[in-house]
Each structure stands twice: as C-alpha cells, then as structure tokens.
Amino acid sequence: MTNPEPNATPDPSAPISEDERVERELRRRSRRGFLTAMLAGAAAYGGWRWLMTRPAIGDVPWPIRKMLQFNERVTGKLVSPNHRSREVPAATITAGGPRINGDIGLESDMELEQWRLQVAGTNLALRMEDLLALPAVTETIPLNCVEGWTTVARWTGIRLADFADKFYPAARKKAYVGMVTPNGQYYVGLDAPSAFHPQTLLCYAINNEPLTMAHGAPLRLLIPTKYGFKNLKCIGSIQFTNERPRDYWAEQGYDWFAGL
Amino acid sequence: MIWSGLMIYWADSDKGLVNGVYRIGWGQTTLFHFFPPGFWRALGLEFGLARGMSWHFFFVWFFAINGLLYALYLIISGEWRLLVPSRRDFVGAFQVVLHDLHLRKTPPPFVKYNPAQRIAYTLVVLMGGASLVTGLAIYRPVQLGWLTRILGGYQWARWEHFWLTMGFVLFFVIHVLQVMRAGWSNFRSMIAGVEIKETPEGTHDKP
C-alpha cells in the first residue's frame, strides 16, 4: 500500500505504541489549552483597551458610568424612610467638632445678615427666622467621607421634607433636588427619596453651637444617607426639579448617587 | 479588583491619621502603616479615588458572577468532593508543609489535590464570598445596616475587607512560588487539564 502524502494524516492502520498515542493526545490537549488561555488573555486585554478608550461621561468611560447608574437603580430601590443611619451615643462625638475637609464654594467675607435661602423658579427668599419656625430636629450621627473616614457630631436643623411641605408643597412631586452655594461654585444633586428622608436636615447648629464659617454658616445640608461630599456647606439656593441636577464631584468621576 | 481597591485605600492612607484602618497596631501605636508613600508613588496609585471606585463597582459584577458560577459548577459537578477538606486533611496539610520544607521524606497520599491545597483552595473560595459580603457592608452601610452591624460596624467592615485582600495576596504569592517549584508538567496540567504520571510496572488497571 502506498500513501501519496505520508505526513498528512497518520495511517490508522499503522501500529503505534501506547506511549506514543498518549504522548500525541497530551500534545493535542496542551496545544488546545494554551491556545485557549492565550485567546482569553488577548480578549481580556482587548476588552480593557476598548473600555478605557470609550468617550467619558463625567470623567468616567461611558460603559462604567452606565454601570454606576445601574447600581444606583438596583440599590436606590432600597432607599426608604425605614432605612435610617443609626444614631450613635454622645460619647462617640468627634472631639473638637467634625473634621473640616473642604472649602469649595465658601467665602470668608460673607455677610450673614444679607443671606437669604432662595428657592429656584420661585420668588421665595427666606430668612433664618422663617426657617426656625419649623420644628427643630437633632441627630447624633456619623458622617462618612468617601475617602473612608467617619466623623460624628450632634447636628440640629429642620427637615428638608418639612421645609418643602411648608414653603413649596409642589416640591414633593419632583424627582430631584439640587442645591448650590451662594457663589455657585459648589453644587450637589439628590434623588427625591434621599432628599426627603426624615434624617435629611437643613442644619444650622453643630454640637449645640451655630455653624462656623468653615462648617457652612449659616445653613448647610446634613444628609447622613450619602457620602460627605453631598453634604453641601452654605446653601444659597434650592431647586426642586425633574431633571437630574448637576453635581460637583459627579462631574469629576464620582458616582452621582453616592448613597450609603 | 485589588488594583482599584488600592486606589481607594490611598485616599485614607494619610500617615497623620494614627487611628486609620490600614495599619498593624493598636490604639495610638502603629507598627506598620499601609503603605509607605514610596509604594503609592512607584505604582502611580495616587489621586485615583474616583477612578478606583468606578472600576471597583464595575468589575465587582464580574467578580461576583464569576465566583457564583464557579461555586455552582463545584456543587453541580460534584467536584467539591475533591476540594473540601476533611478533618483528616488538617493533619495531612501539616505533613505536606513538613515535606515541602524537606523535613519529611514523603508527602501524604492524596487524590488530585493534597491536603494543604484542599484547605487553601477551599479557604480562598470562602474568602471570595467574605470579600463580597464585607464589601457590600461598606458600599451601603445604611441601606444594609444590619449587615454592617453584624460585621462590627463600618470601620470594622473596612478592616475585614482589607485583611481579606491581604489574604488573597498571600495566597497568590505562595501559589505562584509553588507552581514554579512544581515544574513544567504540573503547569501544563493547569492549562491543559491533564497530566501524565508514570505508574510502576504491573499496577496498570486491566481493561
């Protein structure tokens, strides 16, 4: 019997030893295994390159931003007045007052007497006395910074929900709340369930003292269900809207929702 | 996950915070601080908190789904029997260590994975689950407040998450060293799924 292409296919009738058969099978499986591993590695690298070269939304490649928004939808469902940040004993209050960690939007020469709280889209311009007419709420509660640390204080203020009910009831039908400092340099956006959460305060006193300038005098936001960067200091105006408000840190790559 | 995790750790790695989480120490005493400034500089991990977080909460889905599928595969295929250690394996693992340190002539008998491997591989799967749970407790400490409280609170959950990660790093280092030590045939078996061993004459199973 003659074979025109002796190397093309092994002649099945040719006797091969058991050792050789095993050796061939091992080579075949090794080749397949290493090829698969290399392809998987190349695919992972290609996928990473693709991901990192996508156009950015708020300084984050869009597939990642979409995933953050997906995470927000999944976990945002959990926000309800029943999920409260737990109050802590007075003994755990951070000595020397809560840590000061940002002054964006603050101005040291602000005239407190001139300050009014504006509600965007209305002609409301409220003075401190107007706000003090609402029931005072005090919470001894930790504030968690996105950097990882925690600071505890006794915060006093009025509920944002009470504020809306009294001065602008239509606000409760809106999907979002935005806040801006008087100079417009710092701004945050909040989802309505978090904003109208009973622990969310327009805060005017820390540890029984009026706010200092560094803590956002005369009025700041306390929202313990969000990272610290959502707790805007020195509120100039509040906006109740159905369009997602701009957020200072979300524009710089952080999650917009930033919930805890 | 670890790379993006490091970018997150960096933001709280300030040496001035003597009570920080990422250190070896107690009270005001710190024996070692994670990590020295040169570490962050050398790896270019500074000022990446936002990026680190966005990557972390993107890739966590791959981590979680991959881990879940692996665990399901182990259960459905019955392969878990080759992996989960029995009580006897704790003695066996000690014998493996003695053998690896050349203090014992023969390793204990085993099928596929030796007792030390069984313990390590089972532990690392459990650690993966624990990383997910502690991570969730850090991610949503208010909404999942019950979970965070079970783990000892927010800062303890961060501590646990960090040390689990250090465990993975330790596992990885030992794993790579052992693979290098075991040689080519073993490495090929990791990729190809099969390994050939010479059996002494006369012990072949007869067809």
Side-chain angles (χ1 to χ4, degrees):
Chain A
M1 183 182 163
T2 54
N3 190 339
E5 291 173 295
N7 293 327
T9 48
D11 184 353
S13 64
I16 54 166
S17 70
E18 177 75 4
D19 275 357
E20 197 179 346
R21 201 182 61 75
V22 169
E23 200 49 50
R24 276 187 196 168
E25 176 66 13
L26 179 64
R27 272 203 300 273
R28 195 179 65 79
R29 290 208 194 184
S30 297
R31 205 161 43 235
R32 198 174 58 187
F34 277 97
L35 272 175
T36 310
M38 276 163 63
L39 283 176
Y45 177 72
W48 172 251
R49 285 295 303 271
W50 178 84
L51 190 60
M52 285 299 116
T53 50
R54 289 316 89 197
I57 302 174
D59 211 29
V60 173
W62 69 258
I64 297 185
R65 179 62 79 182
K66 294 280 176 209
M67 187 70 99
L68 293 182
Q69 289 166 358
F70 174 74
N71 293 348
E72 171 186 336
R73 279 198 297 282
V74 172
T75 61
K77 296 264 187 291
L78 297 169
V79 172
S80 89
N82 300 326
H83 292 91
R84 287 169 175 248
S85 179
R86 179 161 282 196
E87 297 214 27
V88 294
T92 61
I93 288 176
T94 307
R99 182 170 160 186
I100 295 169
N101 194 57
D103 57 4
I104 304 162
L106 299 185
E107 284 176 17
S108 53
D109 57 352
M110 203 182 85
E111 296 286 338
L112 291 183
E113 288 73 32
Q114 304 297 312
W115 177 86
R116 298 285 182 279
L117 180 61
Q118 320 267 345
V119 178
T122 73
N123 51 13
L124 284 171
L126 301 157
R127 279 185 297 229
M128 207 52 165
E129 302 90 272
D130 304 322
L131 304 180
L132 292 175
L134 286 163
V137 178
T138 296
E139 301 164 2
T140 305
I141 224 162
L143 206 57
N144 290 325
C145 178
V146 70
E147 291 173 358
W149 46 270
T150 301
T151 196
V152 180
R154 192 176 144 86
W155 317 82
T156 304
I158 57 167
R159 290 199 173 101
L160 180 56
D162 290 347
F163 171 86
D165 288 343
K166 164 129 190 198
F167 295 107
Y168 188 52
R172 297 300 291 268
K173 294 200 177 62
K174 304 288 187 184
Y176 299 104
V177 178
M179 293 191 189
V180 192
T181 55
N183 60 12
Q185 284 175 10
Y186 195 80
Y187 37 91
V188 297
L190 307 167
D191 53 292
S194 302
F196 297 130
H197 185 284
Q199 289 180 313
T200 303
L201 303 183
L202 300 175
C203 164
Y204 48 76
I206 292 178
N207 298 337
N208 305 323
E209 300 285 339
L211 295 187
T212 59
M213 294 310 258
H215 282 301
L219 190 72
R220 67 168 297 168
L221 177 65
L222 175 79
I223 181 159
T225 52
K226 300 275 186 196
Y227 279 122
F229 70 74
K230 289 281 191 189
N231 292 248
L232 178 134
K233 291 171 178 173
C234 192
I235 308 170
S237 89
I238 304 182
Q239 181 192 15
F240 300 98
T241 170
N242 283 324
E243 273 166 50
R244 181 171 279 219
R246 291 174 68 200
D247 189 274
Y248 184 89
W249 287 108
E251 288 173 359
Q252 304 196 30
Y254 288 89
D255 179 26
W256 184 90
F257 184 70
L260 290 172
Chain B
M1 292 304 288
I2 292 178
W3 192 254
S4 57
L6 281 170
M7 292 159 99
I8 298 170
Y9 291 153
W10 170 82
D12 202 26
S13 67
D14 190 346
K15 247 187 154 50
L17 301 172
V18 287
N19 289 316
V21 170
Y22 310 128
R23 61 182 186 132
I24 298 173
W26 57 92
Q28 304 287 310
T29 313
T30 298
L31 297 179
F32 183 74
H33 191 87
F34 294 99
F35 292 91
F39 171 86
W40 304 106
R41 256 199 310 279
L43 295 177
L45 287 169
E46 297 160 299
F47 307 103
L49 175 59
R51 188 181 304 143
M53 289 180 79
S54 69
W55 290 358
H56 216 64
F57 302 134
F58 181 81
F59 287 110
V60 67
W61 287 101
F62 294 80
F63 177 83
I65 292 168
N66 186 52
L68 197 68
L69 289 178
Y70 178 62
L72 278 177
Y73 166 77
L74 284 181
I75 293 164
I76 292 168
S77 68
E79 290 260 339
W80 64 271
R81 290 192 196 87
L82 292 168
L83 209 61
V84 176
S86 65
R87 198 174 305 161
R88 207 180 48 221
D89 284 332
F90 289 90
V91 179
F94 187 63
Q95 293 168 339
V96 170
V97 172
L98 289 182
H99 175 250
D100 285 357
L101 295 172
H102 302 286
L103 296 173
R104 187 190 144 103
K105 283 206 177 70
T106 54
F110 59 86
V111 180
K112 190 164 180 179
Y113 297 123
N114 73 42
Q117 282 178 303
R118 280 169 168 257
I119 292 172
Y121 297 167
T122 302
L123 204 59
V124 88
V125 173
L126 295 178
M127 281 161 59
S131 281
L132 199 61
V133 170
T134 53
L136 280 169
I138 301 166
Y139 182 57
R140 291 290 183 257
V142 174
Q143 292 179 352
L144 300 174
W146 56 272
L147 184 64
T148 311
R149 279 192 287 282
I150 288 172
L151 295 172
Y154 185 66
Q155 295 298 341
W156 273 109
R158 294 179 67 221
W159 187 91
E160 290 149 10
H161 199 67
F162 177 76
W163 282 101
L164 282 164
T165 309
M166 296 304 260
F168 287 120
V169 173
L170 184 69
F171 173 87
F172 180 76
V173 169
I174 295 176
H175 182 68
V176 169
L177 287 177
Q178 288 281 35
V179 169
M180 279 159 49
R181 216 178 56 101
W184 167 249
S185 175
N186 169 72
F187 179 65
R188 179 164 67 179
S189 79
M190 286 168 61
I191 307 286
V194 286
E195 184 175 19
I196 292 175
K197 284 198 173 138
E198 294 287 337
T199 46
E201 207 57 44
T203 59
H204 283 291
D205 291 336
K206 295 283 179 277

